[in-house]
Amino acid sequence: MLFKNGLDKESQKLFASWNESSQFPCNWTGITCDMFQKVSAIDLSSLNLEGSLNSAVSSLLRLKRIDLSHNMLTGIIPPSFLNLKSLEELVLEDNYLSGTIPPEVGQMQSLRILSLGTNNLQGEIPPELGKLTKLQSLSLSSNNLSGPIPPGIGNCSNLTDLDLDSNYLDLIPYEIGNLQSLKVLRLYLNSFSGEFPLFIAKCRNLEVLDLNQNYLVGRIPLELTGMKNLAFINLSLNYLSGGIPAQIGNLTKLQVLRLGVNNFTGPIPMELGRLHKLQILELFENPLRGRIPASLGDLTFLQRLDLHNNSLEGNIPEELGQCLNLMFMDLSLNKLEGPIPLSFASLSSVSELGMSGNLLTGALDGRFLGNWTNLISLQLQENNMDGRIPAQVGMLKKLHFLYLYENSFAGAIPAEIGNCSSLQELDLSNNSLTGAVPAELGNLNFLVTLSLFENSLNGRIPPQAGLLKNLESLSLNRNSFEGVIPVEIGNCSSLRNLSLSHNSLTGAIM
């Protein structure tokens, strides 16, 4: 009852069954008892509870589990709250708890799960955590903790899951290498610096390694490539350099490899094509050079391929069209040349496709668009592509963003583009398009941006433009439009930017 009294009045209403006159707390909401009718578990997660913790539960000596996660509890963790010698699970994550982690936590010798993540805890991680030799899972993520990870963590020999991400921690002790049972190590978004911590490679059973968004420098050590159980590697957003080791191709259980936003140089190793279970490959924003290896086409489970903003060159390999599970592919901002491979017509699952800012040539084949019906975003801007925009563009019912600007597309804008009912942004500017603007563009009810400037479009601006109620930006300047500006444009109530200059238009904008 004292625990209930620490909550606000609204929260207390949820505990009508918590009656002081009742001799059977085992029937109370969220309470579980053992065979001796003693309270063994308190589970009050996700009830929007407000208030603070108090020491009332410290008298429940047979308590095994406390779960108060996903509430709005505030205040500190009372030291007496941690005197429960039989407690095996303490889950207080996703609240608004503040203060420091009490060193008394080291007295909870039976603890197997300690989850204090997503709170406002600060200060250093108490070294007393090293006394919890039965601990299997420790989560202190998304707090304001600072200082080093205490070396005593290496004594927690049963630890399988260590999650300390999103803090201000600055030192990884070599004792981490003692955790031979460790399977998950999440240390991302901290302040770790220096060279890659080589001793992590001693954790031979590690499956998940996440060190992204730190300040690590130097090369990826070859010792890392000997960790045969790794399924997930994220080292992105650091300052790592040197070549990507070809030996990563030996990690045959790997499903996710994220190395983006570093200083890796040299080519993409062809050996990555051996990672037949790989689902995500991100190497973006590095100074990688050379060609995209044709061996990546062997990654038939690949769902996400992000190589943008490198210095990759040569033709896009036809073999990438064999990655039939691809949903996201970004090859933009490289030096790729030649046409889009015809094999890409097989990528029927792709929803986001970016190849902008390259040296691509050739036409946009209608066979692509006829199969890319799951596309949400198509970005081919800033290339050297030509030919007509295929009528099959009208088959892209899910398309939100179509960017074809700064190419050499010619001919008329196909009327079928009016069938792209989900389109929000359409940019065809800086091409060689001719003819009139199709009235069917008025069907695009969700269109926010329409940019057609710097073309050779002519005729009158269709009055159907006034149907675009969500339009915020309309750029038709530097074409050959003539006639009166349609008064219907005044119906575009969301319009913020209107550019009609360098045409032969007359009349007022109403």
Side-chain angles (χ1 to χ4, degrees):
M1 290 302 298
L2 288 174
F3 174 80
K4 173 184 174 182
N5 294 338
L7 305 175
D8 73 338
K9 291 183 178 180
E10 287 300 315
S11 299
Q12 290 186 29
K13 293 178 181 178
L14 298 172
F15 301 105
S17 62
W18 288 37
N19 192 321
E20 287 184 354
S21 61
S22 173
Q23 297 181 0
F24 300 100
C26 303
N27 296 324
W28 293 359
T29 299
I31 298 297
T32 301
C33 293
D34 59 19
M35 63 174 56
F36 303 106
Q37 297 298 299
K38 300 294 184 180
V39 176
S40 61
I42 299 175
D43 188 349
L44 302 174
S45 64
S46 304
L47 294 176
N48 294 319
L49 301 179
E50 296 185 44
S52 59
L53 301 175
N54 58 51
S55 58
V57 296
S58 60
S59 61
L60 303 174
L61 301 181
R62 302 178 71 94
L63 198 60
K64 301 290 186 183
R65 178 167 57 87
I66 299 176
D67 188 349
L68 304 176
S69 61
H70 309 293
N71 284 296
M72 293 179 283
L73 300 173
T74 56
I76 65 170
I77 302 174
S80 57
F81 195 80
L82 305 174
N83 290 335
L84 299 166
K85 302 295 190 298
S86 298
L87 198 68
E88 297 178 1
E89 300 180 25
L90 177 58
V91 183
L92 303 177
E93 66 179 20
D94 195 12
N95 279 287
Y96 297 94
L97 300 173
S98 56
T100 60
I101 300 173
E104 287 83 357
V105 70
Q107 301 173 15
M108 307 173 77
Q109 298 289 305
S110 298
L111 210 58
R112 293 185 296 104
I113 297 174
L114 177 59
S115 180
L116 305 179
T118 316
N119 279 287
N120 297 317
L121 300 171
Q122 58 188 14
E124 295 192 356
I125 299 174
E128 286 81 2
L129 283 178
K131 299 178 182 179
L132 304 179
T133 56
K134 294 183 180 179
L135 200 62
Q136 298 174 9
S137 177
L138 173 61
S139 175
L140 306 178
S141 64
S142 299
N143 280 288
N144 298 306
L145 301 171
S146 57
I149 299 174
I153 289 288
N155 298 327
C156 301
S157 56
N158 290 298
L159 204 60
T160 60
D161 193 331
L162 179 57
D163 193 348
L164 306 177
D165 69 84
S166 306
N167 282 288
Y168 300 95
L169 303 171
D170 56 19
L171 182 64
I172 305 172
Y174 71 86
E175 286 85 356
I176 289 285
N178 297 336
L179 301 176
Q180 295 299 301
S181 298
L182 198 64
K183 293 184 177 181
V184 176
L185 180 60
R186 293 189 177 96
L187 302 178
Y188 64 87
L189 198 56
N190 275 286
S191 299
F192 302 122
S193 59
E195 295 196 350
F196 186 94
L198 184 58
F199 43 81
I200 287 178
K202 295 181 180 180
C203 302
R204 292 294 178 179
N205 289 302
L206 202 63
E207 298 174 2
V208 174
L209 174 61
D210 198 338
L211 284 165
N212 95 88
Q213 296 193 61
N214 281 288
Y215 301 92
L216 300 176
V217 299
R219 294 174 174 267
I220 297 177
L222 291 181
E223 287 83 354
L224 181 68
T225 66
M227 303 175 70
K228 302 297 186 182
N229 290 313
L230 278 174
F232 181 106
I233 297 176
N234 191 348
L235 304 179
S236 58
L237 285 155
N238 279 284
Y239 297 90
L240 298 169
S241 58
I244 298 173
Q247 292 86 341
I248 286 182
N250 297 328
L251 300 177
T252 55
K253 294 183 180 181
L254 206 59
Q255 298 176 30
V256 176
L257 179 60
R258 287 179 159 144
L259 302 177
V261 195
N262 278 286
N263 296 314
F264 292 118
T265 54
I268 299 173
M270 62 177 295
E271 289 81 0
L272 296 187
R274 299 176 187 167
L275 303 175
H276 297 303
K277 294 185 179 180
L278 203 64
Q279 298 175 24
I280 296 176
L281 176 59
E282 294 180 350
L283 306 177
F284 60 90
E285 294 191 35
N286 282 286
L288 295 169
R289 295 183 176 275
R291 294 175 174 267
I292 299 174
S295 61
L296 296 189
D298 295 331
L299 305 178
T300 54
F301 286 96
L302 199 63
Q303 298 176 18
R304 183 180 180 91
L305 175 63
D306 195 343
L307 306 179
H308 82 266
N309 204 359
N310 279 283
S311 295
L312 301 171
E313 57 192 15
N315 291 348
I316 301 172
E318 286 274 351
E319 288 81 358
L320 285 183
Q322 300 170 16
C323 301
L324 301 182
N325 288 299
L326 268 177
M327 294 186 287
F328 176 100
M329 179 163 61
D330 193 349
L331 308 179
S332 61
L333 298 172
N334 281 287
K335 300 176 182 178
L336 301 171
E337 57 189 24
I340 300 174
L342 283 176
S343 62
F344 276 25
S346 300
L347 302 179
S348 57
S349 297
V350 69
S351 61
E352 296 182 56
L353 183 56
M355 291 180 276
S356 63
N358 281 289
L359 305 170
L360 300 179
T361 55
L364 179 58
D365 197 303
R367 285 173 289 182
F368 297 143
L369 302 181
N371 287 330
W372 292 347
T373 53
N374 287 305
L375 266 184
I376 294 174
S377 174
L378 177 60
Q379 302 190 29
L380 298 176
Q381 70 270 23
E382 298 176 333
N383 278 290
N384 298 317
M385 298 183 69
D386 54 22
R388 291 176 172 268
I389 299 173
Q392 289 92 334
V393 70
M395 301 176 68
L396 306 181
K397 307 291 187 182
K398 299 179 181 180
L399 195 65
H400 290 181
F401 309 102
L402 177 59
Y403 301 133
L404 302 181
Y405 61 87
E406 293 190 32
N407 278 284
S408 297
F409 290 112
I413 299 172
E416 289 83 356
I417 207 167
N419 295 327
C420 299
S421 53
S422 300
L423 204 58
Q424 298 176 19
E425 296 189 13
L426 173 61
D427 195 336
L428 308 179
S429 61
N430 275 287
N431 279 288
S432 300
L433 299 171
T434 57
V437 174
E440 287 81 359
L441 290 186
N443 298 333
L444 303 177
N445 296 325
F446 296 102
L447 201 62
V448 174
T449 301
L450 176 59
S451 297
L452 304 178
F453 65 88
E454 289 278 3
N455 278 287
S456 297
L457 299 168
N458 54 40
R460 294 176 177 270
I461 298 173
Q464 288 84 354
L467 299 174
L468 303 175
K469 303 297 184 182
N470 291 300
L471 197 65
E472 297 179 4
S473 178
L474 175 61
S475 300
L476 304 178
N477 48 304
R478 297 189 178 275
N479 280 284
S480 299
F481 293 117
E482 58 187 13
V484 178
I485 299 171
V487 295
E488 288 84 356
I489 287 181
N491 297 329
C492 299
S493 55
S494 299
L495 200 60
R496 300 291 179 266
N497 176 54
L498 177 63
S499 298
L500 303 176
S501 65
H502 295 84
N503 284 287
S504 299
L505 297 167
T506 61
I509 300 174
M510 305 298 291

